Amino acid sequence: MRVRAQMSMLFHLDKCIGCHTCSVACKNLWTDRAGAEYMWWNNVETRPGTGYPTGWEDQDHYKGGWRRDDKGRLHLTLQNKPTGIARLFFNPALPQLDDYYEPFTFRYGDLFSAPAGEQQPTARPISMVTGDEMEIAGGPNWDDDLGGSQVYARNDPSLDGIDPDVRSQLEEIERVVFNYLPRICNHCLNPACVAACPSGAIYKRAEDGIVLVNENKCRAWRMCVAACPYKKVYYNWSTGKSEKCILCFPRMETGQAPACAHSCVGRIRYMGVLLYDQDLITAAAGAPETELLRAQLDAILDPWDERVVTAANAAGIDDGWIAAARRSPAWRFVKEWGLALPLHPEYRTVAMMFYIPPLSPVVATIERNLTKLDLPAERVDFELFDELDKARLPIRYLANLFSAGDEDVIRAVLRKMLAVRIYKRRQSVDGVVDDATVALLASAGTTPQEAEDIYRLTTLPTVEERFVMPPYHREMSIEAVNDPLRHKGAAGVGYVTPPRRGA
Amino acid sequence: MNGNEMLFVAFPYAAFVIAVVVSILRWRRHPFTVSALSSQLLENRRLFWGSVSFHWGITVILVGHLLALLVPSGFELWNGAPVRLYLLEATGFALGLWALFGVVVLLARRFMVRRVQAVTTPMDIVVLVLILVQVVTGLWIALGYRWGSFWGTAVFVPYVRSLITLSPRPELVEALPIVLKTHVLAFFAFLAVFPFTRLVHIITVPLGYLTRPWQKVIRNRPEPAVYHPAADRTLERVP
Ligand code: SF4
Ligand code: SF4
């Protein structure tokens, strides 16, 4: 066992209101620059939908992630090493700017400088690449709230395998259902971006698992962009360097949560340490499809286990981190409660950001797949609990997103969440928890005590409970390579030289 | 120093020194600026025809030139039979045409595609035009002064070797026709602008990729002594 630590973010999808505050916080902080306008290191997409860049989950087209061969070995879908070199001149799987969108602004100056005339002056949209006037044809959330749309939602690859009847119903106005999916880089344990980079410019930090591009080593070969199945490396067309989410490491090193998490209006995001065994990464990435999730969870270690603590100490993880790992909301949701899942585990990058899947909007009851409202109030909750498969958001859909198609995993998660909800409703609305509800908790694999804990961390956490930041001891790392007195003047974020395009 | 010596002795040495010194300085002091500056994100289709044709064509031809320089005797042996000479020349010419097609597409793309225009610097044009001159004169020589792979080993190889051994003999190329001289001079010009342009990406060709482990993990903090990362091929230490 060789222990490493990972900073993990959790997204409680039931709470996301799709406000895009996270995206804007990130944009203002990191990507408000020439060449980066089109990048959304954090984006929020409406699902079912095609997301951003359009249709990113279509790996037949984009060639992201890893595939497992018959012998159980892993290969990048994009390339092997010789083809990686051979395609330096042209990378057939590279998304085009139009797969994202052409970044635009408006010529606001016209509002002031237009000569007097009959009409109100307008600010015309112009391209932020060419400066020319343009027709806006897309954006990072162009299909916002368009659940059920024929153009976007229908083309969601994660709808595969859903009964055609149910699929067509999803497009009916009465059945339209959608949820939001905020996405950042997953800071994977087996990152395809790192593996695809011919220059070796991308690396994973051992102490917190953040995956970073060394901008000084990046040479614009842009293999990472294609290889990342989540399309979370972006190519800066101005500087000729690839860029990606940095999990706000400068903030984390000073004890603050990443900006997207910190600004989250729905308070859906949690941050915490997960300890994992680096010897199990290969097993986690290379497991057969049905075992993938289990194998990944197995690689995540119990911070309360003394053997783990000893091994962690031996690997240089100090007690501050162990303490943070024990209080980590990521640990609780992912392992203790088993409520959080990685996005698309079948990409085999072993994504380390986790999602608590959304409960469908509370349907009253179900009849022939449509809702019916004439049940007695006491039955309403139980009805959905027993008939999860008829929930408005098909289980199959969530399984395609979060469990490599394993519906039982999703069912277990949703039942537990529903049980907690029913339990708390009985408690706060009726004032008593009847035997049927306690039995229901048990059948969902939980207890009243655990239900209270889940409830508490879901709905009422303080900011310190949501973001359990470990002590980074940045000063020690700096001292290891730099004279602190000399470093003093250079502290802070910023380039020594501005990031200008080379000739 | 007469004009010939200026052009064929001073210039090549100056170009070479500039290429080496400035490349090293740029690499060390401004690593951020070293990039192939791909514009594939902005334009895909023309780049495919231009970039693939150009790069493969020119790379193979360059390797051919290099081989001629290193093992001229091999070329002489090969060309001993006329059929093989024709084959070599025809292949070279075809590759040249392929590269020419590529450069022309790339150059046209720089002017015709608005998005590409937006990221085009004057140096991009300088580089492409220089390469165009190289390719065109090369093809011209192949046509007008037949069997260059045959006489080239006798004319150019001694000249270049004289430069390398620091006993330059510019008189070897003095009497050559203007096209041949241009071809040679354009190469030295190419060397001279090399470190100031995106051409620096040539020396960054990431062949190390073929042998490195897939994953790369870096530690910021020194690890404790009990821990032995040497056992793990995926670990790489920072100095
Ligand atoms: S999600 Fe992040 S770490 Fe994973 S492959 Fe993509 S860019 Fe790399
Ligand atoms: S800020 Fe929070 S609630 Fe708003 S879209 Fe982002 S993740 Fe969802």
Side-chain angles (χ1 to χ4, degrees):
Chain A
M1 178 178 1
R2 285 179 299 164
V3 185
R4 285 203 302 235
Q6 169 83 40
M7 288 307 295
S8 243
M9 195 183 287
L10 272 184
F11 303 77
H12 202 309
L13 293 186
D14 247 348
K15 301 203 278 173
C16 181
I17 57 173
C19 63
H20 300 275
T21 308
C22 44
S23 307
V24 173
C26 176
K27 163 112 334 225
N28 282 336
L29 202 47
W30 302 119
T31 57
D32 190 13
R33 296 169 279 121
E37 308 94 342
Y38 84 95
M39 296 178 198
W40 294 86
W41 293 355
N42 180 108
N43 77 297
V44 183
E45 46 201 50
T46 299
R47 308 308 299 259
T50 46
Y52 158 87
T54 311
W56 60 271
E57 288 155 298
D58 182 357
Q59 305 306 349
D60 293 336
H61 176 59
Y62 284 124
K63 309 266 183 275
W66 301 82
R67 71 188 159 73
R68 179 180 191 268
D69 67 14
D70 302 337
K71 298 208 182 74
R73 284 171 313 205
L74 283 180
H75 306 274
L76 276 182
T77 312
L78 181 71
Q79 63 191 26
N80 57 33
K81 284 175 176 166
T83 54
I85 301 276
R87 292 186 191 141
L88 291 179
F89 311 140
F90 183 83
N91 174 1
L94 185 78
Q96 287 296 285
L97 187 63
D98 293 317
D99 290 326
Y100 303 88
Y101 68 105
E102 180 156 2
F104 52 86
T105 180
F106 296 87
R107 215 158 44 208
Y108 294 108
D110 290 2
L111 297 180
F112 302 98
S113 57
E118 288 288 296
Q119 265 92 32
Q120 292 276 4
T122 49
R124 316 245 359 168
I126 51 169
S127 159
M128 290 174 94
V129 180
T130 60
D132 297 344
E133 277 186 17
M134 63 178 274
E135 289 295 327
I136 300 172
N141 54 341
W142 207 238
D143 57 343
D144 219 22
D145 296 359
L146 286 181
S149 108
Q150 310 282 310
V151 187
Y152 299 103
R154 174 182 272 182
N155 294 323
D156 185 333
S158 294
L159 290 171
D160 284 357
I162 294 178
D163 186 58
D165 262 3
V166 178
R167 267 190 90 146
S168 61
Q169 283 178 17
L170 278 174
E171 289 162 14
E172 282 167 25
I173 196 71
E174 303 88 344
R175 290 275 306 186
V176 161
V177 61
F178 59 81
N179 70 281
Y180 300 106
L181 183 72
R183 300 200 299 121
I184 63 174
C185 161
N186 288 294
H187 299 277
C188 311
L189 294 191
N190 184 35
C193 57
V194 175
C197 175
S199 309
I202 314 183
Y203 61 96
K204 187 172 180 72
R205 304 212 301 190
E207 59 267 55
D208 56 9
I210 300 179
V211 175
L212 293 174
V213 183
N214 181 341
E215 297 280 302
N216 282 339
K217 280 186 158 191
C218 172
R219 305 279 177 248
W221 306 130
R222 71 222 169 274
M223 299 305 166
C224 52
V225 181
C228 169
Y230 303 93
K231 290 293 161 283
K232 280 296 172 186
V233 195
Y234 303 86
Y235 178 71
N236 183 317
W237 51 265
S238 172
T239 58
K241 301 277 167 169
S242 289
E243 300 181 12
K244 64 180 287 302
C245 161
I246 57 175
L247 206 57
C248 284
F249 73 84
R251 288 175 58 92
M252 295 222 293
E253 285 172 0
T254 50
Q256 308 166 76
C260 53
H262 210 151
S263 64
C264 177
V265 173
R267 296 190 230 167
I268 80 155
R269 300 192 185 211
Y270 301 74
M271 250 351 261
V273 180
L274 287 178
L275 301 179
Y276 66 93
D277 185 349
Q278 78 179 73
D279 292 331
L280 295 181
I281 297 176
T282 317
E289 192 121 311
T290 47
E291 319 266 300
L292 269 174
L293 210 53
R294 182 74 312 155
Q296 174 169 6
L297 293 181
D298 284 348
I300 298 172
L301 301 169
D302 182 351
W304 297 93
D305 182 339
E306 280 310 322
R307 284 169 308 154
V308 171
V309 173
T310 315
N313 284 337
I317 298 170
D318 63 46
D319 291 344
W321 279 69
I322 307 276
R326 288 180 169 177
R327 290 190 299 123
S328 162
W331 163 253
R332 304 208 84 184
F333 273 112
V334 175
K335 282 279 279 201
E336 223 179 288
W337 300 332
L339 290 180
L341 305 166
L343 180 60
H344 286 303
E346 72 276 18
Y347 295 164
R348 299 180 181 278
T349 59
V350 195
M352 286 303 269
M353 306 288 126
F354 293 89
Y355 291 85
I356 298 155
L359 284 171
S360 295
V362 181
V363 256
T365 60
I366 300 131
E367 176 200 316
R368 255 200 67 250
N369 298 330
L370 283 176
T371 55
K372 176 176 86 183
L373 293 160
D374 56 357
L375 269 191
E378 324 84 69
R379 271 307 302 161
V380 166
D381 287 331
F382 294 99
E383 188 80 4
L384 180 61
F385 190 85
D386 295 334
E387 306 247 19
L388 260 185
D389 284 283
K390 294 179 183 159
R392 280 174 70 184
L393 204 50
I395 302 281
R396 176 84 211 166
Y397 181 70
L398 292 174
N400 283 346
L401 280 180
F402 299 117
S403 63
D406 188 341
E407 299 182 18
D408 288 340
V409 172
I410 303 289
R411 258 181 226 115
V413 171
L414 294 186
R415 282 165 70 92
K416 200 173 203 180
M417 286 167 66
L418 257 178
V420 172
R421 189 187 276 190
I422 294 169
Y423 168 76
K424 289 307 287 185
R425 181 142 63 211
R426 287 287 177 277
Q427 206 182 49
S428 56
V429 179
D430 303 349
V432 280
V433 179
D434 53 6
D435 292 344
T437 310
V438 175
L440 182 113
L441 277 185
S443 79
T446 182
T447 61
Q449 181 52 47
E450 190 181 76
E452 287 292 347
D453 289 347
I454 295 173
Y455 164 75
R456 155 109 209 144
L457 200 55
T458 302
T459 58
L460 301 167
T462 62
V463 81
E464 287 83 9
E465 285 167 338
R466 274 189 290 139
F467 309 133
V468 181
M469 309 307 291
Y472 261 76
H473 301 305
R474 189 66 191 138
E475 65 289 351
M476 280 157 63
S477 331
I478 293 168
E479 272 173 20
V481 283
N482 269 318
D483 174 357
L485 288 177
R486 279 191 55 199
H487 192 81
K488 208 171 146 201
V493 191
Y495 290 88
V496 182
T497 46
R500 250 185 252 113
R501 178 186 183 82
Chain B
M1 194 186 283
N2 63 27
N4 197 50
E5 284 171 351
M6 285 280 279
L7 287 178
F8 290 96
V9 180
F11 184 39
Y13 280 125
F16 182 75
V17 170
I18 290 174
V20 172
V21 173
V22 180
S23 292
I24 292 176
L25 282 179
R26 180 166 173 188
W27 186 287
R28 298 190 50 163
R29 314 257 308 252
H30 303 285
F32 185 82
T33 68
V34 180
S35 163
L37 295 177
S38 159
S39 52
Q40 197 191 342
L41 180 82
L42 300 175
E43 200 284 328
N44 207 24
R45 204 164 42 86
R46 292 181 185 82
L47 185 83
F48 169 75
W49 292 106
S51 178
V52 173
S53 313
F54 163 69
H55 278 100
W56 283 115
I58 209 78
T59 308
V60 179
I61 289 180
L62 266 177
V63 170
H65 280 58
L66 207 65
L67 281 182
L69 197 64
L70 292 177
V71 279
S73 52
F75 268 69
E76 279 156 11
L77 266 177
W78 171 272
N79 286 336
V83 188
R84 289 191 299 214
L85 171 66
Y86 300 155
L87 194 69
L88 181 69
E89 288 272 328
T91 314
F93 195 73
L95 284 168
L97 281 180
W98 198 25
L100 177 69
F101 168 73
V103 194
V104 171
V105 173
L106 288 180
L107 205 55
R109 176 176 173 273
R110 289 274 155 197
F111 289 103
M112 279 159 46
V113 181
R114 277 294 293 147
R115 283 183 188 168
V116 179
Q117 253 178 22
V119 291
T120 298
T121 58
M123 270 310 192
D124 294 340
I125 305 294
V126 170
V127 166
L128 282 171
V129 169
L130 255 180
I131 293 172
L132 184 70
V133 171
Q134 283 284 62
V135 177
V136 168
T137 51
L139 287 169
W140 189 336
I141 293 166
L143 270 188
Y145 306 88
R146 279 290 153 70
W147 324 134
S149 65
F150 187 65
W151 54 254
T153 51
V155 178
F156 284 120
V157 173
Y159 165 63
V160 178
R161 288 199 165 172
S162 76
L163 286 180
I164 293 172
T165 53
L166 298 182
S167 45
R169 292 165 60 200
E171 65 279 4
L172 285 172
V173 284
E174 189 162 14
L176 290 180
I178 188 81
V179 195
L180 276 85
K181 282 183 168 172
T182 316
H183 191 68
V184 176
L185 287 176
F187 176 72
F188 297 141
F190 179 91
L191 269 189
V193 299
F194 175 86
F196 300 100
T197 64
R198 53 165 51 191
L199 291 174
V200 280
H201 78 267
I202 298 171
I203 48 174
T204 69
V205 171
L207 293 177
Y209 185 54
L210 295 171
T211 53
R212 80 163 169 90
W214 286 114
Q215 295 300 345
K216 183 166 170 177
V217 175
I218 284 182
R219 313 192 143 251
N220 278 326
R221 243 179 310 157
E223 46 209 311
V226 284
Y227 187 62
H228 299 295
D232 181 1
R233 298 222 314 133
T234 67
L235 281 185
E236 184 176 304
R237 255 174 186 286
V238 269

